[in-house]
Amino acid sequence: MLQFKQIIIYIMIIGAAQALQLAVVLFRKKENHIANKVLAITMLLFAIDLAASVLFETGDILKVPHLMALNSTLPYVYGPNIFVYVLLLTRNEKIFRPVYFLNYIPFVLVHIYGLFFFYFQPQSFYENLLTPYPDVPWHFAMIGNLIPVSGLIYTFLTLREAIKYNNRIKDSFSNIDRINLRWLMYFVIGSAAIWLIVIMAYATNFIYGEELRANILIYIGMAVFIFLIGYRSLRQPEVVLMETDELQQKPSKDKSESYKRSGLSDQLAADALKKLNDIMKNERPYLKNELNLSELASIINISTHNLSEIINTKLNQNFYDFINKYRVEEVKRLIEEDKSGKFSLLGLGYEAGFSSKTAFYSAFKKVTGITPAQYRSSARKEKVA
């Protein structure tokens, strides 16, 4: 048991050191500067929280009892910080908007509460908190019990923002490989996993009692999360977030309402749709792998908003799927022309306008229901027959 406890302490110490190192690196990064500063502060708070948890494990926390407040206050910062980080990153904002400070009201209120009920208590009060079933007022316990609620709320808000951004870029770009979303999704899913561990730990404590010390899982999960962030940051190129007029505008809560006010009549939409189909067929702009909504709208000579409306409402597609459907048809044509099979499938995908293997294979499977290899095989069989 003692050996296991030592292992846990070492994990926390290494996690704290890793978080501190990441904070320094993020503070010094010039790209996505404001967003990285918010993430750096989060890493610094993780380091402080893990260091305090080591003091809990060793029993030295009673030497600095005020640090016990970290358990019930810092979690009210983690959710808002991660949410604001994602907002700053996906909206490519250069300043920290004053409205973002509203997310930290619960954190401030908890500290105000601490001034009256925690920070100036006798030593016996703090010793009582370390017992399995501490005798504390209901309002004191409520602050700790509301932590998972805060986590759930901000996990939902963060996931929603990441999904909204993913939808926005697919309405404006035909290739999203340069828009580096992997880091964002790893980070969002990882933080959601931490909050899931928090909920499980709280549920375990409620059902089986605090003798199991399920809270230790939270700090182990936090340390592992930091390790993974550190590993990904070494391999991960800087997050690239493309900017267009469409992405810089605030997305409408209801596209249909926005389109009703666009002034695009049915006749104009029909004419523009015919012109769009003619251009896609004859000029084949989809062969340019960096084609975006703004460029295609310029070719057709309509606004990006109207083109987006036509693709969304008349074709029931987003821009990304619309363009890649043409690219898939181009690949099918190239496969049928390549009778000897001397060209690689991926090479044909690149020739058709795709910019990565992943984008090519996923789009082909989505449009045709089969893989490019299966299509080539069936095309050869048809020729033989």
Side-chain angles (χ1 to χ4, degrees), residues 182-227:
R182 287 187 180 181
W183 164 259
L184 180 63
M185 295 313 297
Y186 279 130
F187 187 80
V188 170
I189 292 171
S191 60
I194 293 296
W195 284 113
L196 180 61
I197 293 173
V198 170
I199 293 169
M200 291 172 61
Y202 271 69
T204 301
N205 288 336
F206 179 78
I207 296 171
Y208 300 104
E210 296 192 6
E211 292 93 339
L212 291 178
R213 303 185 63 222
N215 284 357
I216 203 71
L217 295 175
I218 299 172
Y219 295 100
I220 294 174
M222 187 186 296
V224 171
F225 180 50
I226 293 167
F227 296 152

Side-chain angles (χ1 to χ4, degrees), residues 58-176:
T58 61
D60 293 328
I61 193 68
L62 288 175
K63 296 178 182 179
V64 279
H66 295 104
L67 290 183
M68 289 185 182
L70 296 178
N71 282 121
S72 297
T73 57
L74 289 184
Y76 286 101
V77 178
Y78 298 148
N81 265 19
I82 291 171
F83 174 57
V84 170
Y85 168 72
V86 171
L87 285 178
L88 291 169
L89 200 60
T90 57
R91 297 179 182 181
N92 208 12
E93 295 185 349
K94 308 303 181 185
I95 59 171
F96 192 98
R97 296 167 59 194
V99 69
Y100 292 156
F101 285 108
L102 296 176
N103 292 285
Y104 300 96
I105 290 176
F107 174 73
V108 174
L109 292 177
V110 168
H111 273 287
I112 293 174
Y113 171 89
L115 292 174
F116 294 96
F117 297 100
F118 184 85
Y119 292 118
F120 305 105
Q121 301 298 321
Q123 186 71 9
S124 59
F125 173 82
Y126 303 115
E127 292 173 353
N128 171 58
L129 294 179
L130 295 181
T131 60
Y133 296 98
D135 182 19
V136 294
W138 65 269
H139 44 83
F140 188 92
M142 184 180 69
I143 289 177
N145 292 333
L146 285 176
I147 289 173
V149 177
S150 171
L152 275 175
I153 292 172
Y154 278 100
T155 296
F156 168 76
L157 292 175
T158 304
L159 284 170
R160 186 182 67 170
E161 187 62 30
I163 292 169
K164 282 166 62 178
Y165 180 72
N166 185 61
N167 291 335
R168 289 207 303 276
I169 62 174
K170 285 190 173 183
D171 273 334
S172 297
F173 297 98
S174 63
N175 268 318
I176 59 175

Side-chain angles (χ1 to χ4, degrees), residues 9-45:
I9 290 174
Y10 290 144
I11 290 174
M12 291 177 177
I13 291 173
I14 295 171
Q18 176 78 24
L20 190 59
Q21 180 187 26
L22 281 173
V24 172
V25 172
L26 288 165
F27 269 122
R28 297 176 65 180
K29 277 194 172 185
K30 295 180 180 179
E31 300 84 356
N32 306 318
H33 188 57
I34 299 299
N36 279 331
K37 271 192 173 181
V38 172
L39 185 56
I41 292 171
T42 307
M43 291 298 108
L44 186 59
L45 295 178

Side-chain angles (χ1 to χ4, degrees), residues 277-286:
N277 288 329
D278 289 341
I279 287 174
M280 294 300 289
K281 180 180 178 181
N282 300 320
E283 298 184 22
R284 302 193 295 171
Y286 54 83

